[in-house]
Amino acid sequence: MGKLAIVLASGELEKIQAASIIASVASTLGTEVIVFATMDGLMAFKKDVVENKAWKTAGELGKGMIESGAPLFIDTFRQAKEVGNLKMYACGMIMDMLKLKIDDFVDIFDDVVGVSAFLGMVEDAQVLFI
C-alpha cells in the first residue's frame, strides 16, 4: 500500500501524539511507515524526558493528556511496530551535536541514521513533516 515517511522535528506532545496515531493507522492498514526523529522531536524520546513526562505542550490538550494518564505516543509507536511495518530512526547528526548515545533514549529506535541515509529510504514515499 505504498510508503509513508514522517519527519518528526517537533517536541510538542500534541504533535508527537498526532504523528504516532497517523503512523499507527497507516502501518495497521498495510503501509510501510518510516519515522525519522530529529531536532526537538528526538529530544522527546530521551529517557529523562519520558520518565518525568517533561514534554513541551502547546496548551490544555497536552497538559490534559499527561494528567489523565492517557496512552502516550511511546506506547502507540510500540504497538504500531508490533502489528505493522513501522521503523523508527534517530537522527545521528543531533546525537553527535549533543554528544548523546542511543542508550540516552527509550528503547524504540531501530537504528541511528543521518539525513542522507533517511532520504535514501524514502525516495518513493509520501513525506509528512511534523
Side-chain angles (χ1 to χ4, degrees):
M1 276 198 62
K3 188 187 290 187
L4 173 65
I6 299 174
V7 178
L8 186 55
S10 173
E12 286 184 11
L13 180 59
E14 295 89 337
K15 292 180 181 177
I16 301 170
Q17 283 286 101
S20 72
I21 293 166
I22 293 166
S24 176
V25 171
S27 69
T28 301
L29 294 174
T31 301
E32 178 182 356
V33 180
I34 299 170
V35 177
F36 181 65
T38 187
M39 305 295 178
D40 283 343
L42 179 60
M43 298 299 103
F45 292 89
K46 283 183 65 190
K47 286 180 180 172
D48 61 329
V49 173
V50 173
E51 288 170 5
N52 296 312
K53 298 183 179 184
W55 300 287
K56 297 174 185 175
T57 60
E60 293 301 313
L61 179 61
K63 292 175 188 168
M65 286 183 214
I66 294 171
E67 291 171 2
S68 71
L72 296 173
F73 64 93
I74 300 279
D75 300 316
T76 306
F77 279 129
R78 281 193 176 128
Q79 289 170 354
K81 289 181 72 159
E82 289 174 11
V83 299
N85 186 5
L86 184 143
K87 300 282 186 199
M88 294 193 63
Y89 297 97
C91 178
M93 182 188 75
I94 297 302
M95 290 176 61
D96 288 347
M97 189 183 312
L98 299 177
K99 301 187 183 343
L100 296 169
K101 299 175 195 140
I102 196 68
D103 291 338
D104 294 319
F105 298 91
V106 294
D107 185 23
I108 198 161
F109 294 108
D110 295 283
D111 204 352
V112 176
V113 299
V115 172
S116 295
F118 172 71
L119 291 175
M121 289 184 243
V122 301
E123 279 184 25
D124 55 345
Q126 182 177 24
V127 180
L128 296 178
F129 187 89
I130 300 175

